[in-house]
Amino acid sequence: MIGARLKQARMLAGMTQQQLADAVQEAGFSVTKQAISKYENEKSFPSARYLLLASSVLDVPGSYFTHQPETEVRWSTFRRQSGFGKREQEAIMAYASDLAELQVELHSLLYPNAKAALPKPVPVCHFEDAERQANRLRRRWDVGDRPLDNLVQTAEDRGLIVISWDDKSGQFDGLSGWRGDYPVTVVNQNRSADRIRFTLAHEIGHLVMDTSNAVEDEEKLAHRFAAALLVPAEHALRELGNNRFELDWQELKTLKRKYGMSMAAWLGRARDLGIINNRAYKNQFIELSKRGWRKDEPGEYLGDEEPLQIKQMAQRAVAEGLISPDRMAQIGLDVWEAESEQVNSEHLTVYDLMAMPGEERNAAMERAFKLAAEDDFEIFEAYEVFDDYDEEFDAEVR
């Protein structure tokens, strides 16, 4: 088992066997690529000194190599561009596997009887099936047909493991699979909130749809599921109407902010539901591309789409003594964040503000308002004496 953990730590660090051998040799220990291959394939056992140096080079605690996960993640889909290399893929899967293992462990400790609220995968062949499955999931989650304010935390609250990966290359989108009975998804956190929402909805689609005998393309079915999950057909028809020649860009920008779904996805949703025809869709999509909006759309969805559950569970488990901080450190999870020091603003008078240029004055006032909003003010009971002034009491005191 040590061999598998050695390989996983190396993949997590994004290193080849040769790069690891070179790094360990620079630290003063003679090892070859062939020897590392034997360690990882359980054909020979590494020395304690090698494990110590490897843990330092790979930036993992020594206990990482001896920890044995109970179940591996069965990965099913990996959304990426063709230029995203195998080593990068392995690093993501290694990191996500460790984090998923910890999250399952925390779930079993804190919520021993809870199960993920995902319906079992059902056969999906056509786009209409994907729509029905999205509606089925909404019913299972008891969210009605309203816009989902926070899809990540809605999914986490219902037992879905959502893991962030910060990929700045722009070539990785999402990954999904199962760790035992727990559904696991990975999303690229280096995306806009609306893109994260759609990617997560897409990956959920892969988890709840059996497309082994599908007539339509599997990825297109997951796209259709994602759009239906974020914007049910009834809402799309109510917002856009039944028959349009084209859609207004400002209208789409507003709907993006309301539903957290991109303008491009709204165009696709309108086409799929027959609100606009295919020619109108193509013309507007070409226009969207010409405006440079395929990568950077105007308007911003202001929702917060960050996974929080694992950190919250870890903090609770450590606080209750159910798990040690060392277990968190095995995968580099900081349980307690250092509190940032709050910088006190200068005490400016009205006259100081009036003497400032307009832009500087507005910036100073904005900083003051922000600090005031973050401060906790103590209310003193003594203030009530002045609110309810009693002349007789005042005379007695004097």
Side-chain angles (χ1 to χ4, degrees):
M1 189 60 208
I2 286 181
R5 297 294 282 179
L6 281 167
K7 182 177 181 180
Q8 191 172 46
R10 178 177 60 78
M11 292 190 300
L12 182 58
M15 298 179 72
T16 64
Q17 291 177 340
Q18 186 61 59
Q19 289 172 332
L20 178 57
D22 293 341
V24 172
Q25 287 180 26
E26 288 179 7
F29 184 84
S30 180
V31 68
T32 64
K33 171 187 173 183
Q34 290 74 18
I36 291 176
S37 177
K38 289 182 178 180
Y39 297 157
E40 293 183 356
N41 290 293
E42 306 281 355
K43 293 182 179 179
S44 65
F45 195 82
S47 68
R49 178 163 171 72
Y50 172 78
L51 291 176
L52 182 64
L53 290 173
S55 68
S56 177
V57 170
L58 299 173
D59 196 24
V60 295
S63 59
Y64 183 93
F65 300 133
T66 56
H67 177 77
Q68 182 172 351
E70 295 180 2
T71 309
E72 295 293 331
V73 178
R74 306 187 312 274
W75 298 112
S76 57
T77 64
F78 202 120
R79 290 188 64 215
R80 59 178 177 83
Q81 295 183 21
S82 58
F84 198 69
K86 182 179 179 181
R87 202 179 343 163
E88 289 82 1
Q89 296 175 48
E90 290 176 339
I92 292 176
M93 290 188 287
Y95 172 76
S97 295
D98 272 355
L99 212 58
E101 180 194 350
L102 174 60
Q103 194 149 339
V104 169
E105 185 177 344
L106 291 170
H107 264 289
S108 63
L109 286 171
L110 300 173
Y111 318 110
N113 298 318
K115 295 183 179 180
L118 275 186
K120 292 182 179 180
V122 298
V124 170
C125 296
H126 304 281
F127 292 127
E128 293 76 12
D129 300 330
E131 291 267 350
R132 282 192 290 269
Q133 187 68 341
N135 292 333
R136 181 186 175 203
L137 180 61
R138 276 180 162 267
R139 290 193 299 271
R140 180 71 174 267
W141 283 359
D142 193 26
V143 294
D145 62 352
R146 67 179 186 272
L148 299 173
D149 294 334
N150 190 313
L151 181 59
V152 169
Q153 291 174 27
T154 297
E156 285 190 317
D157 288 343
R158 288 156 179 82
L160 186 71
I161 295 175
V162 184
I163 296 170
S164 299
W165 179 266
D166 188 6
D167 171 62
K168 295 181 175 60
S169 72
Q171 297 194 338
F172 167 69
D173 280 312
L175 172 66
S176 59
W178 292 87
R179 203 267 186 195
D181 294 330
Y182 287 86
V184 182
T185 58
V186 186
V187 294
N188 183 2
Q189 201 65 32
N190 191 30
R191 299 285 197 192
S192 61
D194 60 276
R195 181 73 174 269
I196 292 172
R197 285 164 63 83
F198 198 89
T199 296
L200 177 57
H202 180 104
E203 295 304 325
I204 293 172
H206 282 301
L207 293 171
V208 300
M209 294 190 300
D210 176 5
T211 56
S212 55
N213 296 314
V215 174
E216 307 292 347
D217 177 75
E218 179 181 4
E219 288 300 299
K220 290 182 179 179
L221 285 169
H223 269 19
R224 185 65 173 265
F225 173 92
L229 182 65
L230 294 175
V231 184
E234 296 80 2
H235 273 254
L237 291 166
R238 188 188 70 189
E239 299 285 10
L240 297 175
N242 293 320
N243 192 8
R244 299 280 296 274
F245 293 106
E246 66 176 5
L247 304 178
D248 180 76
W249 295 117
Q250 290 300 321
E251 177 184 17
L252 293 177
K253 182 177 174 182
T254 299
L255 290 173
K256 174 182 177 179
R257 293 191 63 179
K258 181 176 180 180
Y259 288 89
M261 191 168 78
S262 70
M263 296 165 65
W266 266 101
L267 281 174
R269 190 74 175 130
R271 176 204 57 193
D272 292 341
L273 296 175
I275 296 171
I276 57 175
N277 61 31
N278 198 47
R279 176 180 292 183
Y281 166 77
K282 287 183 177 179
N283 289 339
Q284 288 210 252
F285 197 84
I286 290 172
E287 178 65 22
L288 182 141
S289 298
K290 287 181 178 178
R291 296 186 181 208
W293 290 351
R294 290 190 66 177
K295 291 187 177 180
D296 187 18
E297 285 187 358
E300 181 182 2
Y301 176 67
L302 302 177
D304 178 16
E305 295 290 345
E306 178 186 358
L308 296 174
Q309 189 173 60
I310 187 169
K311 184 165 289 188
Q312 181 272 325
M313 289 194 303
Q315 289 165 344
R316 176 184 165 189
V318 170
E320 294 185 11
L322 299 174
I323 200 167
S324 71
D326 290 342
R327 178 71 183 92
M328 310 295 126
Q330 285 180 351
I331 58 169
L333 181 65
D334 293 326
V335 181
W336 310 117
E337 294 180 349
E339 294 184 3
S340 59
E341 294 182 3
Q342 189 179 62
V343 179
N344 293 326
S345 62
E346 297 178 357
H347 297 283
L348 302 173
T349 68
V350 174
Y351 301 102
D352 293 329
L353 290 170
M354 291 179 65
M356 290 180 178
E359 291 184 3
E360 185 179 349
R361 179 170 63 248
N362 291 338
M365 292 177 69
E366 184 176 349
R367 288 195 298 272
F369 289 146
K370 183 179 179 180
L371 286 172
E374 294 173 352
D375 281 343
D376 292 324
F377 294 95
E378 186 174 358
I379 300 175
F380 294 95
E381 292 183 358
Y383 292 163
E384 298 176 2
V385 174
F386 298 96
D387 292 337
D388 302 315
Y389 180 66
D390 188 330
E391 291 184 5
E392 293 183 5
F393 175 79
D394 185 52
E396 290 179 15
V397 172
R398 292 186 181 184

